[in-house]
Amino acid sequence: MTIYLASPWAPRGETARLLRYYEALMRIYDGLVVGVSSPEEREAAAALESLGVAFTYYERFSGRHAVLKLALEAGADYIQYIDMDRLVRWIELRPDELAAVARQVRTVDSLIIGRSEDANNSHSRTLTETERIPNLFFSHYFGRLMDFAAGSRGFSRRAAELVLRYSTSDSALWMDAGWAVLVKRAGYSWDYTLVEGLDWETADRYRDRAATREEQQALADEQDQDPHLWLMRARVAQEITRYGLLAMDLPLDVTAGSTPQEEHA
């Protein structure tokens, strides 16, 4: 059964690293589809064209929907969603772990992929402290302590079709908790795994290599001094919770394969 990577990309200097590690990725996955944040990102588009990678442009916060849809159109049986900046760091530093997770994706309808304690601690407190509330809330709902906001998720074809059908494309934050809720409510199989490879990617921006832990810590210290970032991340956590709660209340009919997502906006 085929497994595809589905990766939205707002380029911040990752092009050379993607080109460097593309062959390693293709030893793990059957294909890669990408959503690019703007037609103005010509370097990224040229790199994808040179690799023969299918891509599309997306507007505002619709990248996660766009790449899942593109992977389904490519014929994927299973899909692993990963934000591009996290993807290049993961394949650079921990390719064996990424390959193991790709194998695990094929075992369930949805694999929720969380950060290990060490990976979580590499992030700024603006992230870890604000994400704590939605993580705890939805962990109670699922009956298992989990990290929902790590930027990667596995889907079977039917699970991907489900989450696209019952969520709108106006916010990427549907994925963090809402998509997991929809899969659970549908009675589809799911599992959870912890990884090291989703440690903090933000410090990698515009570097030719993955940032060190010291470089991550320096950026975290800087960001944690910014009250505006705390406010922004608190609002993101609120939206993660809101979309998860919305997914709990949607009328759900897993036999109605043609239900348009717009009806549930």
Side-chain angles (χ1 to χ4, degrees), residues 125-126 129-130 223-224 226-234:
R125 291 182 62 227
T126 61
E129 296 298 327
T130 55
Q223 291 198 356
D224 289 341
D226 186 345
H228 299 289
L229 277 177
W230 281 96
L231 177 61
M232 184 272 286
R233 295 307 311 183

Side-chain angles (χ1 to χ4, degrees), residues 3 14 20 31 53-54 57 108 130 136 138 158-159 162 212 241 261 264:
I3 179 169
E14 298 91 4
R20 188 182 311 153
V53 171
Y57 295 108
V108 287
T130 55
L136 286 174
F138 290 102
R158 70 171 184 169
L162 175 85
T212 65
T241 305
Q261 63 181 9
H264 304 283

Side-chain angles (χ1 to χ4, degrees), residues 198-218:
L198 291 174
D199 61 330
W200 200 29
E201 81 294 345
T202 301
D204 295 1
R205 291 177 181 178
Y206 303 104
R207 297 182 188 272
D208 190 46
R209 51 157 181 86
T212 65
R213 178 54 67 93
E214 290 75 19
E215 290 164 337
Q216 289 173 321
Q217 187 60 57

Side-chain angles (χ1 to χ4, degrees), residues 183-197:
V183 170
K184 182 178 188 297
R185 287 187 59 208
Y188 294 172
S189 62
W190 61 272
D191 201 358
Y192 180 63
T193 191
L194 287 170
V195 301
E196 302 288 342

Side-chain angles (χ1 to χ4, degrees), residues 32-51:
L32 168 67
V33 296
V34 176
V36 179
S37 58
S38 168
E40 299 302 313
E41 299 290 352
R42 295 184 178 87
E43 181 186 29
L48 295 170
E49 288 172 348
S50 73
L51 296 170

Side-chain angles (χ1 to χ4, degrees), residues 59-165:
E59 296 181 354
R60 290 177 54 77
F61 306 110
S62 62
R64 293 174 171 181
H65 276 69
V67 293
L68 275 195
K69 184 174 183 290
L70 198 57
L72 290 173
E73 291 171 352
D77 297 305
Y78 288 89
I79 302 164
Q80 186 177 351
Y81 167 93
I82 314 178
D83 295 329
M84 179 62 77
D85 47 3
R86 289 192 177 274
L87 172 61
V88 293
R89 181 177 180 87
W90 201 347
I91 188 64
E92 179 175 340
L93 297 182
R94 296 177 177 88
D96 291 343
E97 180 187 65
L98 184 60
V101 171
R103 291 192 293 271
Q104 193 173 358
V105 165
R106 293 182 174 97
T107 65
V108 287
D109 286 299
S110 182
L111 181 66
I112 301 167
I113 304 168
R115 292 159 288 196
S116 69
E117 182 177 2
D118 187 61
N120 194 59
N121 289 341
S122 70
H123 293 66
S124 67
R125 291 182 62 227
T126 61
L127 284 162
T128 58
E129 296 298 327
T130 55
E131 289 172 355
R132 189 185 306 274
I133 292 175
N135 279 340
L136 286 174
F137 178 84
F138 290 102
S139 290
H140 279 292
Y141 178 73
F142 278 80
R144 183 173 179 180
L145 187 61
M146 294 192 288
D147 170 22
F148 291 90
S152 185
R153 192 70 55 85
F155 295 100
S156 68
R157 186 174 188 85
R158 70 171 184 169
E161 291 171 341
L162 175 85
V163 300
L164 290 180
R165 193 159 67 242

